[in-house]
Amino acid sequence: MATTDTCPMRPEPTLSFTQGLIVGQISVVLLIAAFIKFFIFGDAPSPEITATIRAAERRSRTLAHRQSLLTLRSVTPNPTDRQQQPTLNKKKSSILRSPPTLTIGSILNKTYYNVDSHQPESLDWFNVLIAQTIAQFRSDAQQDDAILTSLTKALNGTSRPDFLDEIKVTELTLGEDFPIFSNCRIIPVDEDGLSLNTGPGGEKRFDANSMRAKQEGSRLQARMDVDLSDMITLALETKIQLNYPKRLTAVLPVALAVSVVRFSGTLSISFIPSNQSQSTPTMMTFSFLDDYRLDFSVRSLVGSRSRLQDVPKIAQLVESRLHRWFDERAVEPRFQEIALPSLWPRKKNTRGGDDPLDGSGSASSSAGKGKGREMAKELKLEEARRELRAETAAGARHELGPPETLRYRRARGRGDGSEGSFSMPGSLPDMALNLPT
């Protein structure tokens, strides 16, 4: 029986090329529309929900850091053992008597401050001083463009991405209100910033005679509430550049305005004593607790002709980046540290009183003494001008006629025919003095 070879029948495509192209284009359009709707124009969560989520994240980060510190302490030797290590012995003065060793407990006892029962204090006087300082700072900023120049230089530094054009500052508002500090209290803390105001059973109680209160590094920390409701605005303008496949393939103008609307939190300030063995000065540290609230108002404008205004996702990205920048610098467990100068009275720091105006002094004299020297020079120049004017006027009188001296008065008397009759200078009128000739 003969067999015949037959080719299998190919299945016919259900969609033609044109239909597949149309379906693909529709899919791309739907994806772009979904991206624009949910990513660009999607509704942002309410500020309260966002603040709650961020506060929970910061609190969990703080608790994790505290737990790591406690775990590290449990596996390391007692801090009191480090005090027994030999240190360099420096020659001490036999005249200057060394005061007794001060601890935070003795400082609190000598200042009559009980951290367990003392009521929080208002800071009205401190608010006035801070308000004057901020007002002077705002006034100085209006006189020159120093702050504007610094901001422009910082924004266009090495950290600026390549796809961004030059950043220009279009608006800068430093606000009109002032922060209000209140509810100040003193908290004893250890070298890691953990509170010592907690008893063994968890109750709030401070024991000044405990080993933790006497250990090295323990200090007193001032905590105060701060609240600011203002409108501090910074507006920027730049362009996003698309440099692929070639440079400046596309350019997208972007305008952004960020305003600080509200800030409230707890500020902690403490002093770290100087260490002579390490040659470190006295330091002041400050940071904010993780329970702060920082609200922004972000306005955006994207495009040149068809512009997108106040895109919610751009506002979320900017707020998230600003919160991260603040958390990485001034929120516990991180803190800012400032070295304090010497507080001993010095002659070069003296102002007012009987400051000399003769221009004498060292090269490091103050600006007040410099102004005094300038005033002295001006007074000397003015006196020299007066003398010159007086000499000029005297020369003019001498050219007009002989001066009225005693010699000329005698000559006129002889010429009048009254010999032997002379008038005494300064005598009364109509009185003559007859002298024999």
Side-chain angles (χ1 to χ4, degrees), residues 132-143:
Q132 291 180 349
T133 304
I134 296 177
Q136 185 63 40
F137 170 75
R138 292 170 178 170
S139 177
D140 295 342
Q142 297 292 334
Q143 301 300 326

Side-chain angles (χ1 to χ4, degrees), residues 113-170:
Y113 194 98
N114 190 342
V115 296
D116 297 326
S117 60
H118 199 284
Q119 296 296 325
E121 301 178 5
S122 63
L123 296 173
D124 298 337
W125 61 272
F126 187 70
N127 292 330
V128 174
L129 294 180
I130 293 296
Q132 291 180 349
T133 304
I134 296 177
Q136 185 63 40
F137 170 75
R138 292 170 178 170
S139 177
D140 295 342
Q142 297 292 334
Q143 301 300 326
D144 52 12
D145 295 335
I147 184 173
L148 183 61
T149 304
S150 301
L151 278 175
T152 305
K153 185 177 180 180
L155 293 172
N156 293 280
T158 57
S159 60
R160 179 169 60 92
D162 296 335
F163 59 86
L164 286 182
D165 196 8
E166 181 184 359
I167 302 176
K168 300 179 181 179
V169 179
T170 58

